[in-house]
Amino acid sequence: MSLISGLVKSLSKLSMIGRALMLPISLLPAAGLLLAFGDKFHLPLMMNAGGVIFDNLPMLFAIGSAVGLASESGIAALSAAVSVFVTNITISTVLGITPEMASQGGKYAMVVGIPTLQMGVFGGLICGILAAWCYNRFHAMQLPEFLGFFSGKRFVAIATACLSFVLGLLLPYIWQHIQAGIDALSLVVNGDNQAASTFIFGLVERALIPLGLHHIWYPSFWYSFGDYTTQAGQVIHGDQTIWFKMLEEGVKSFSSDTYQNAGKFMQGEFPLMLFALPAACLAMYHEAHTKNKKIASGILFSAALTCFLTGITEPVEFTFIFVAPILYVFNAIMAGLAYMTMFLLHAHIAKSFSAGFIDYLSFGIVPSLNGYQTNFLNAVIVGIPMALIYYFTFRYVIRRFDVKTPGRTEVTSDAKDKTDTELANEIIALLGGAHNIDSVGSCITRLRLEVSNSEKVDRDGLNGVGARGVVFVGDNGIQVIFGARAQFIAQTMSTMIGK
């Protein structure tokens, strides 16, 4: 039982880290758009503005993860920056790393101007987690009166700096083993059977959607696995980072001697978001009871349009993954097949955040106009058959097993009929009251909450006020899906309960 309890707690903590990662990742669409349109219109200044974001991902991940894990505290952000500086300069001094050594790539790199170990975004994430821990641990700390000036939040950055010095002393001896594991996995992922790698990547990513742990799964593929040597001799890592660097440097084939087929861990979702899941919405609408079709159309049309334009899928997927496990498994397998098929067809389409039409236009169609081999039409070639398969599969399963998708139940409440304040009040009550809520946060489509006693949470009541789904993560973690409004509901709840 202790092992199971430990796993449950680990899932809860991973979910919180997944929430924190969304803040730095949400910055990347701006960088991607600057690069794509800077290349299209031959504006080096615009491309440089986008490239500098990708060149400083460790710092962005440090600050973003710290803010996400520390109730959006500015003190935590400052402390994360301090941690990046102190940790890396300590590593640099201990190992005697010079700028010349860092410029050669390999196991060394330049981070915010400091020659240090090549840890990529994981180095930033480690510093961010440390800063967040220091904030949560020390921001209310009272020191003796003669040291009172350094009490509370002022002590956070001091503690972070001291612990970062210790971290910098330890990482040179620990990171070599972590890096060996990353290198081994990278060889497997980018080895002889990349078709299998892309299938597994797509399947697992979709399978983790209900728990919100897909944000833990893909960063390694996007920011760590794989090596590409830039024209300046710098070695960078990760499918997304490499794709955008190739765009910046004019590598129109999206392949090099050290990294083949950039985009393989991003492009597989385009057939899913642009065609398959909107077709599933159409199927669910056609299977809705006649008297409920108006309600169903409002829910499903909005979800399909969001999915198509932005690539945000939870409003669609949470209409069926809990009520029809067979469709959940089907969706995960089809996602894996989409990734594999796009790879085999030699597509090379990136996404800055999620694979909607905005990204398809920006990183599929627009680069192709300048001669880049994105092969963007393959998303249509794969997507149309997928749409037909989804449509008829969903209609059959819904009818055969009487699946309670929108329009097939008597629940008629929808969150869009209520203000954020009204929803926040109802949600607080359904979570067991303000005293039962330990923390409030959000990602793109879901509230991410921690409660003292999950038994006090009214799951049916949350569904009744318009939630698209309710997920329990660990003993105390709760995720409530409300679509794009989640962040505003979370802000309102935080104001009401002071957390």
Side-chain angles (χ1 to χ4, degrees), residues 311-327:
I312 296 172
T313 63
E314 280 95 332
V316 179
E317 290 174 311
F318 277 87
T319 62
F320 65 84
I321 57 179
F322 294 119
V323 295
I326 189 173
L327 291 176

Side-chain angles (χ1 to χ4, degrees), residues 15 285 319 405:
S15 177
Y285 169 75
T319 62
T405 48

